[in-house]
Amino acid sequence: MQDAELVHERNYVAGLYTRLDELRAEKIRQLADVRRTTAMGSHQNRSERDAFATLYEDRLAQLNAVDDRLVFGRLDLDSGDQHYIGRIGLSTDDLRQLMVDWRAPEAGTFYQATAFERQGVRRRRHLILSGRSVKSIEDDVLDAAMLGEGNLQGEGALLAALNSKRTGRMSDIVGTIQAEQDRIIRAPLPGALVVQGGPGTGKTAVALHRAAYLLYSHRERLRSAGVLLVGPSSSFMKYIERVLPSLGETGVVMSSVGRLMPGITAISETNQKLAQIKGQLYMAEVIGRAVANRQRIPTEDRKLDVEGTTLILTPRQVRRAREKARATGKPHNEARLTFVKILLRELTEQLTEHIEAGSLGNNADRAYLAEDVRQSRDVRVALNLAWMPLTPEKLLRELFSKPAVLAAAAPKLSDADRELLLRDPESLWTEADVPLLDEAAELLGELDNSGGRDEAAAEAARRRNLANAEKAIENMNQSLADSGVDGVLSAEELAAYNEISEEYLTAAERALTDRTWAFGHVIVDEAQELSAMQWRLLVRRCPVKSFTIVGDIAQTSSAAGAGSWQQALEPFMGERWTLEELTVNYRTPAQIAEAAARMAIAAGAVVSAPKAVREGKWPVAVDRVPAAGVVDHLVSVMDEELSLLDGGLLAVITRTQDVRTAAAALRRVYGHRVGHGAGSMEQDIVVMDPHEAKGLEFDGVVILEPSALLAGSDGRVGDLYVAMTRPTQRLRLITSQALPEGIEE
């Protein structure tokens, strides 16, 4: 019976792949036909061609991304129907359904049905694929007489996935999502949802699958606004980058905190005290005061030479112009246009009166005088001294490099804190600087050296594009429907496709370069690490406050991070957020998970200790060595670790200042198999600090000097707790100091 069922499933899955290949070939052909179409003709014709090309390219990218494990399940229903569940939906040309998208409502029971609430499901079948062929099948018969309470869905498929070797890239869990995870993934869109979960509970996987689900279920709302996914580091972003395409989505903007300001690639803030200072909400006041302080009133009259004529600029004039400019409510650089316009007019009137007083009866045209005033070097210098146009970078460089400027902007900070903030103006930007730059950008506004002419020209071009799009759209939507493309294209979307000549930018691509972009939803992973100023930045990116917030308060390692979700969110969300908790640890073997929890509790942390679903092969290994022998001992045990893991991915986690030393020692023996820091996840051995390890997982982990990690973040336990909970198989500690309390029973 089992063999016959396996043959049946292999034949059916082969048919699904045949259909996938047919659709790919069709889109390749359609795309080639469109590209052969020349760019001749009207702007309307080019718009139609480019829109078709974009739609075919997007669909082809989706079809290419789902090839691996295309289908993973089957539902047998009481009605006698069978539904195959996969990464996308597939149908025949005559619309007979072959496979249901995992995000569709009818697929929900694949994850939610239990023996006690069958929801019309008779049997749930898991299909385990190798390449394009079904390797094995596993059935959950939802009959109370056969299954007891608490059984995991697809236990064999789940454990096989958990025990498989890590590759340095995260895999999706679409085939093994458990009921508590699915409930969170399919939660309603509006509002802020906090997902609290201990190590190994699948928080990141839930966040990624929720992004894919929301884009599927709320496509009309989110297609143009987009979804932003924020992670803790560039290592983490590379680790997860393949998951969403494998789930059928390619339009999510993924960014680490240090890249949320266009044009800035920030480094980590290594000084915890400095991160704490920059992260407090008071810094918003500091930035606001720094901007206001650049709108200056001179202490005395200033003489200005305009073509040999002396004009007087008084403090009273400057004060009045400043008040009128501020009254516009516009940002600094935009309000400056009003300020300059007022003073140029007054100075021009002064010049006109002076000239006319010396040439009575002469009624010559004096229009040229306004340009003389505008071009005068003295006038330009005086106006700039009073109200200088600024970029966020220039404002912060001066603020943090000039003691007097900082003291005037931050009177509530202590002398010691201000001294810590001072630095060389050419210093690299850090992650803690990014929200300050964003705050400055919000208060300064855009620089417009054309006096508004460029903006007017851009708006006129946009109106022309929209008019052309409205004409093109009348016959285009019917053509799209005839081509099998779902949805209706709006004139606004078509116009947007053509705003950049001969180049299409998705919503995600446009959002990456536009600081003012308002996203429809924001997903934040490792959210416990964010400072108040970083939260302020993210809420600005999503004014409707639609968030999925994922993290574990016990893993907080940043001094600027949160001590509770209430503390983190109350200033921005009030009480308008809900909390869900994941309770099962799928990643970490019980022996390791329990040791990490004991250590954290002994150190005074309040941790959620999710139940581990499996025992590991090995207890936590502890090697005690002399202080000078830690790195040498690491090298000596590496062969043993690699052998036990049998080709698995191994991480060495140590303090930031020790990463290069440990990596260099290992590289002398293992060469190119060793990598360190961000971007090294493809190597067999990865050396990194706890910050870079956040959110990642490895087959085995070796921690150097665990006591140093415990004391390294101002006494917080997050760094060591994070490091201890990264392995899926094996953990080894190498120490020359007393081991932190609780690790050993």
Side-chain angles (χ1 to χ4, degrees):
M1 178 68 74
Q2 181 78 359
D3 289 345
E5 288 290 306
L6 190 58
V7 170
H8 170 78
E9 299 299 2
R10 285 174 174 167
N11 290 336
Y12 193 89
V13 169
L16 292 176
Y17 274 107
T18 297
R19 180 57 178 160
L20 180 68
D21 291 339
E22 290 173 353
L23 292 173
R24 278 178 179 160
E26 177 185 286
K27 296 307 166 192
I28 290 172
R29 184 175 63 254
Q30 291 171 330
L31 183 58
D33 290 344
V34 168
R35 285 174 173 167
R36 277 195 297 269
T37 303
T38 64
M40 303 295 289
S42 67
H43 188 73
Q44 175 180 336
N45 291 338
R46 293 195 299 273
S47 295
E48 291 184 13
R49 180 206 60 190
D50 293 345
F52 274 120
T54 295
L55 291 164
Y56 296 146
E57 287 168 353
D58 288 350
R59 178 60 169 165
L60 188 57
Q62 181 191 52
L63 295 173
N64 286 333
V66 299
D67 196 286
D68 184 41
R69 294 172 295 141
L70 172 66
V71 57
F72 50 81
R74 189 184 89 184
L75 286 174
D76 294 355
L77 306 179
D78 288 340
S79 63
D81 293 336
Q82 289 183 342
H83 290 161
Y84 282 83
I85 313 299
R87 297 175 178 279
I88 59 173
L90 287 179
S91 300
T92 61
D93 285 334
D94 60 0
L95 302 183
R96 179 172 60 85
Q97 189 178 67
L98 300 174
M99 185 171 70
V100 178
D101 191 301
W102 69 274
R103 297 165 288 186
E106 56 264 44
T109 52
F110 183 81
Y111 306 107
Q112 298 158 3
T114 69
F116 299 96
E117 294 184 19
R118 293 195 300 112
Q119 301 183 42
V121 177
R122 186 161 51 94
R123 177 172 60 183
R124 173 176 45 233
R125 171 165 289 177
H126 297 264
L127 305 175
I128 295 92
L129 271 62
S130 176
R132 289 188 161 202
S133 177
V134 180
K135 179 181 177 182
S136 61
I137 59 177
E138 177 187 343
D139 287 343
D140 298 336
V141 180
L142 304 188
D143 185 334
M146 299 172 63
L147 292 178
E149 184 175 3
N151 282 44
L152 292 168
Q153 297 173 14
E155 183 173 1
L158 176 63
L159 292 178
L162 295 177
N163 288 319
S164 63
K165 291 182 174 60
R166 307 301 101 175
T167 65
R169 297 297 184 97
M170 185 178 183
S171 299
D172 61 73
I173 60 167
V174 65
T176 57
I177 293 171
Q178 301 300 301
E180 70 170 8
Q181 296 171 326
D182 185 71
R183 185 183 70 254
I184 294 169
I185 290 169
R186 296 175 190 266
L189 171 65
L193 173 67
V194 178
V195 183
Q196 161 70 35
T201 53
K203 300 183 298 297
T204 297
V206 166
L208 292 168
H209 288 69
R210 178 160 170 77
Y213 171 76
L214 292 176
L215 283 164
Y216 175 88
S217 302
H218 304 275
R219 190 163 299 278
E220 288 303 313
R221 173 174 170 178
L222 297 178
R223 178 172 55 184
S224 57
V227 172
L228 171 65
L229 191 151
V230 179
S233 67
S234 56
S235 297
F236 175 83
M237 303 315 294
K238 185 174 182 180
Y239 176 63
I240 68 172
E241 67 184 359
R242 295 179 183 174
V243 175
L244 281 167
S246 75
L247 296 173
E249 294 297 344
T250 57
V252 176
V253 177
M254 298 197 297
S255 175
S256 60
V257 176
R259 292 176 177 256
L260 286 175
M261 181 77 179
I264 300 294
T265 301
I267 62 175
S268 297
E269 183 65 81
T270 56
N271 188 311
Q272 288 291 313
K273 178 61 176 177
L274 202 51
Q276 189 175 29
I277 296 170
K278 292 179 181 179
Q280 58 186 311
L281 279 179
Y282 174 63
M283 290 303 294
E285 295 181 33
V286 173
I287 300 300
R289 195 174 289 111
V291 172
N293 289 347
R294 298 308 300 270
Q295 301 164 6
R296 302 162 177 160
I297 299 173
T299 57
E300 57 186 18
D301 291 352
R302 185 181 179 96
K303 294 181 179 181
L304 309 175
D305 178 80
V306 178
E307 296 291 328
T309 300
T310 299
L311 305 180
I312 303 298
L313 181 66
T314 68
R316 182 173 176 272
Q317 285 176 301
V318 175
R319 181 179 291 106
R320 186 171 62 246
R322 186 179 73 171
E323 290 172 354
K324 290 182 178 179
R326 286 178 171 178
T328 65
K330 294 179 179 179
H332 173 91
N333 290 326
E334 297 173 29
R336 181 181 182 273
L337 298 176
T338 299
F339 175 81
V340 169
K341 183 178 179 180
I342 291 171
L343 291 182
L344 287 177
R345 185 179 66 243
E346 292 185 2
L347 291 171
T348 301
E349 290 172 355
Q350 188 181 144
L351 178 61
T352 302
E353 290 173 2
H354 183 84
I355 291 176
E356 289 181 347
S359 56
L360 294 175
N362 187 341
N363 296 320
D365 183 14
R366 311 291 186 192
Y368 67 92
L369 296 179
E371 190 60 24
D372 287 348
V373 171
R374 181 186 298 275
Q375 295 299 326
S376 166
R377 181 182 182 279
D378 280 8
V379 170
R380 294 200 308 271
V381 169
L383 296 186
N384 281 340
L385 286 174
W387 195 308
M388 175 73 77
L390 290 168
T391 65
E393 293 86 348
K394 181 177 176 61
L395 181 80
L396 258 68
R397 285 194 180 102
E398 292 188 358
L399 178 65
F400 291 150
S401 65
K402 297 181 177 181
V405 173
L406 181 58
K412 294 182 182 179
L413 289 181
S414 67
D415 291 342
D417 285 352
R418 288 200 295 269
E419 183 66 27
L420 196 58
L421 285 169
L422 290 172
R423 68 188 190 195
D424 186 281
E426 299 305 314
S427 297
L428 296 174
W429 300 113
T430 71
E431 291 174 352
D433 291 326
V434 168
L436 306 185
L437 288 166
D438 189 75
E439 188 75 22
E442 190 73 9
L443 296 175
L444 292 173
E446 296 295 324
L447 280 175
D448 183 4
N449 296 322
S450 71
R453 293 187 297 274
D454 290 349
E455 183 178 343
E459 176 59 23
R462 192 195 70 81
R463 288 196 299 269
R464 287 195 302 271
N465 285 343
L466 186 59
N468 285 327
E470 287 172 345
K471 294 177 182 177
I473 210 71
E474 294 177 4
N475 55 2
M476 185 174 174
N477 280 325
Q478 184 58 50
S479 298
L480 292 175
D482 293 344
S483 300
V485 179
D486 296 332
V488 176
L489 193 66
S490 70
E492 289 78 7
E493 290 164 338
L494 182 55
Y497 291 153
N498 292 280
E499 283 182 0
I500 297 181
S501 177
E502 299 302 324
E503 181 180 359
Y504 164 68
L505 295 179
T506 65
E509 291 167 333
R510 295 199 306 275
L512 280 172
T513 59
D514 185 356
R515 189 197 64 81
T516 63
W517 189 274
F519 289 93
H521 191 77
V522 175
I523 296 175
V524 189
D525 204 350
E526 300 293 347
Q528 75 279 353
E529 302 297 334
L530 296 185
S531 70
M533 285 300 293
Q534 288 169 333
W535 276 115
R536 184 177 172 91
L537 180 159
L538 290 178
V539 170
R540 185 177 289 133
R541 292 293 193 274
C542 186
V544 296
K545 298 182 181 179
S546 179
F547 278 78
T548 301
I549 298 162
V550 179
D552 179 15
I553 291 297
Q555 294 186 56
T556 304
S557 60
S558 170
S564 69
W565 292 119
Q566 181 73 27
Q567 173 194 338
L569 300 177
E570 193 276 334
F572 311 101
M573 311 284 185
E575 300 296 326
R576 297 184 297 277
W577 53 276
T578 57
L579 178 68
E580 291 278 0
E581 187 159 5
L582 294 168
T583 61
V584 180
N585 183 342
Y586 301 99
R587 176 208 302 141
T588 318
Q591 303 97 311
I592 298 173
E594 290 166 4
R598 290 195 305 268
M599 179 279 300
I601 293 169
V606 177
V607 301
S608 55
K611 179 178 175 55
V613 301
R614 63 198 172 105
E615 294 286 330
K617 294 181 181 178
W618 302 282
V620 177
V622 178
D623 298 348
R624 292 177 169 84
V625 299
V630 171
V631 173
D632 288 341
H633 186 74
L634 167 68
V635 175
S636 71
V637 301
M638 196 55 52
D639 279 346
E640 177 187 357
E641 291 296 322
L642 292 172
S643 176
L644 290 172
L645 294 176
D646 190 24
L649 183 62
L650 178 64
V652 176
I653 302 179
T654 185
R655 296 181 303 172
T656 304
Q657 59 266 40
D658 296 330
V659 166
R660 290 187 178 275
T661 301
L666 290 169
R667 200 172 285 123
R668 283 193 289 270
V669 178
Y670 296 97
H672 67 275
R673 296 178 65 188
V674 179
H676 75 271
S680 62
M681 294 290 288
E682 304 296 335
Q683 272 80 8
D684 297 333
I685 305 167
V686 183
V687 186
M688 56 177 49
D689 62 29
H691 176 75
E692 290 179 314
K694 277 188 177 295
L696 310 183
E697 60 181 36
F698 308 90
D699 296 285
V701 169
V702 177
I703 300 176
L704 305 186
E705 298 289 24
S707 294
L709 295 187
L710 185 62
S713 295
D714 298 333
R716 307 182 79 144
V717 303
D719 279 355
L720 182 54
Y721 189 54
V722 166
M724 290 184 68
T725 54
R726 297 307 94 197
T728 64
Q729 304 294 336
R730 181 171 169 81
L731 174 64
R732 187 171 200 146
L733 310 177
I734 301 177
T735 182
S736 66
Q737 307 170 30
L739 205 61
E741 186 180 348
I743 292 179
E744 293 180 308
E745 291 187 278

